[in-house]
Amino acid sequence: MSAPYIEADRVRKIYNHGPAAVEALSSISFSVAPGEFVSILGPSGCGKSTLLMMVGGLETLSGGRLTVGGRPVENPSTDIGIIFQDPTLLPWKTALDNVLFPIHILKRSKAEYRSRAEDLLRMVGLQNSMGQRPHQLSGGMRQRVAICRALVYEPDILLMDEPFSALDAISRDEMNVELLRIWDKYRRTVLFVTHSIREAVFLSDRVLVMGGSPSSIVSDVRCPFPRPRDFSISDTSEFNEICSFLREKIEE
Ligand code: ADP
């Protein structure tokens, strides 16, 4: 078993101070191995996004310890790529220039990354859309561009916060298969927040359930299906038993 890549030890988060204080997370402990795909489930408001932002260095801790690659998380880092529900592409830039935008921000050489950006867009089936602007792309295509943008500078971790929840059911299924294909190729460590139990079980090596008030991790379940996966696993009794177990844990 390899050393954990992400390690949270009694992580706590309190927003605001005094009478307005909100304890979002009480004592969160978990670890994620390098290259592992871990989803986080839990009711709205239980602190899933807060936890993800803390791993990404975008929120401070109020207590406990959080390390990535053995180092405490202090600031946002280029080791981490983040994908949100809204792909937030720049409307005046082409798909290719949107993918290259982090390179511009990081003041790296665009020429050096151009072929990588093109390869990523080809890999997600957008070879004919590289010169198109966001309004010319479907929701699923825009989210594919956002995934390429997060991968272009080769981060070690992908943090995904309900990335497919704005898509229709068919596009969402397609994106799940697409994401697994990308992940099989790149094998980055992924933390994936979702409300969909079936999506979590289909994608993940492990699913963490958050709950309680203030919240903590109430369950940590392995999804032992061989990879590469396809939707036939969702018809198996084992898949459905894991989903029922997780649903009970969330409802508790
Ligand atoms: P989830 O992602 O599970 O829906 P969040 O992490 O968004 O949960 O929120 C967890 C709790 O922290 C909620 O009670 C929310 O209202 C509170 N919260 C989130 N962000 C802030 C903030 N910037 N200031 C104050 N409270 C916040």
Side-chain angles (χ1 to χ4, degrees), residues 30-48:
F30 66 93
S31 60
V32 178
E36 203 174 18
F37 195 126
V38 174
S39 287
I40 303 173
L41 284 171
S44 284
C46 74
K48 303 180 293 298

Side-chain angles (χ1 to χ4, degrees), residues 15-16 22 24 42-51 59 161-162 193:
Y15 284 110
N16 306 328
V22 178
S44 284
C46 74
K48 303 180 293 298
S49 300
T50 298
L51 182 60
E59 272 296 350
D161 196 353
E162 299 191 50
V193 166

